[in-house]
Amino acid sequence: MTDRGLWSYKEIAAHIQVQTDTVRSYRKHGLLPPPDRVEGGKPYWYADTIRTWVASRPGNRGRRAD
């Protein structure tokens, strides 16, 4: 199943359960993949791009609620 919806910093932050500014910092430090699209100067990523990045990023042990 392919999800071609575009995500901004806000959607990415919600997906990985961090603040929006944290996602901006990830991009600034080169930790996010390059944006799939830029519209009006704003970067956007496909949901599948972010899901792949989340699965492969260092320290990904899966979040669990205790």
Side-chain angles (χ1 to χ4, degrees):
M1 179 167 92
T2 300
D3 182 355
R4 300 305 281 174
L6 289 172
W7 286 7
S8 67
Y9 290 124
K10 184 178 177 180
E11 288 83 14
I12 296 168
H15 182 71
I16 61 175
Q17 300 176 340
V18 298
Q19 296 294 318
T20 303
D21 285 342
T22 302
V23 179
R24 285 190 181 98
S25 177
Y26 287 169
R27 181 169 184 225
K28 179 180 175 184
H29 291 96
L31 301 175
L32 270 179
D36 293 306
R37 295 191 47 190
V38 177
E39 297 177 2
K42 295 182 180 181
Y44 295 93
W45 293 261
Y46 290 118
D48 286 343
T49 300
I50 296 303
R51 288 187 185 106
T52 300
W53 169 73
V54 167
S56 66
R57 67 189 247 236
N60 179 40
R61 294 182 297 274
R63 292 186 177 258
R64 61 176 206 234
D66 288 329

